[in-house]
Amino acid sequence: MLLGSDGQPFDVGRKHRVVPHALRRALAVRDGGCAFPGCGMPAPWCEGHHVRHWVDGGETSLGNTVLLCARHHRLIHRGEWTVTVDRGIPSFHPPWWTGDPPGRNVVHRPDLLGRVPAPSRPVEQVRLDDLGVPTRRS
């Protein structure tokens, strides 16, 4: 268990699924409110979301949780969007078929504009043979 300066838990590992009060306050400071791009929902109306789900071995820690409003929490759990936390900053990756780049919420964190590089979508190279596309041979 990782404790803050006042002895309050910030990282409870796998012991608890529910985000403790001290960790929730740290999330409110880091995220400011719902961390989904463009959402202005304030922190008191948000829920803690595990980036790597607790049932899949994810820890209840600052590096593995993000604040989301109920609407965006349901959207993430539907599985098309994914979340990553890079250097303590949540990034949201839209479904591949939208063609949209990943994003961050600067509504609550305008200090991120220009200070932190924009998140990038991981690129996976696939061979045409793997897709079953016939290739022309000369």
Side-chain angles (χ1 to χ4, degrees), residues 16-133:
H16 298 285
R17 181 185 68 85
V18 178
V19 175
H21 187 66
L23 176 55
R24 186 169 166 64
R25 282 198 319 259
L27 285 169
V29 169
R30 183 192 73 189
D31 297 344
C34 180
F36 196 86
C39 186
M41 194 67 68
W45 295 3
C46 294
E47 307 162 347
H49 168 74
H50 287 82
V51 174
R52 179 176 180 211
H53 299 294
W54 190 82
V55 295
D56 295 332
E59 295 185 347
T60 303
S61 65
L62 190 59
N64 190 48
T65 52
V66 63
L67 280 183
L68 293 172
C69 66
R71 176 177 166 230
H72 290 122
H73 202 169
R74 286 189 304 272
L75 178 73
I76 296 296
H77 275 283
R78 274 189 278 201
E80 293 177 342
W81 283 76
T82 56
V83 184
T84 58
V85 178
D86 182 31
R87 293 178 284 161
I89 302 168
S91 298
F92 293 81
H93 304 264
W96 66 270
W97 46 264
T98 65
D100 293 337
R104 295 191 174 120
N105 191 339
V106 294
V107 172
H108 301 292
R109 295 285 312 271
D111 59 308
L112 294 178
L113 285 171
R115 185 180 71 101
V116 179
S120 62
R121 181 185 301 274
V123 177
E124 180 181 336
Q125 292 186 344
V126 179
R127 295 185 348 216
L128 288 177
D129 294 341
D130 295 338
L131 297 174
V133 176

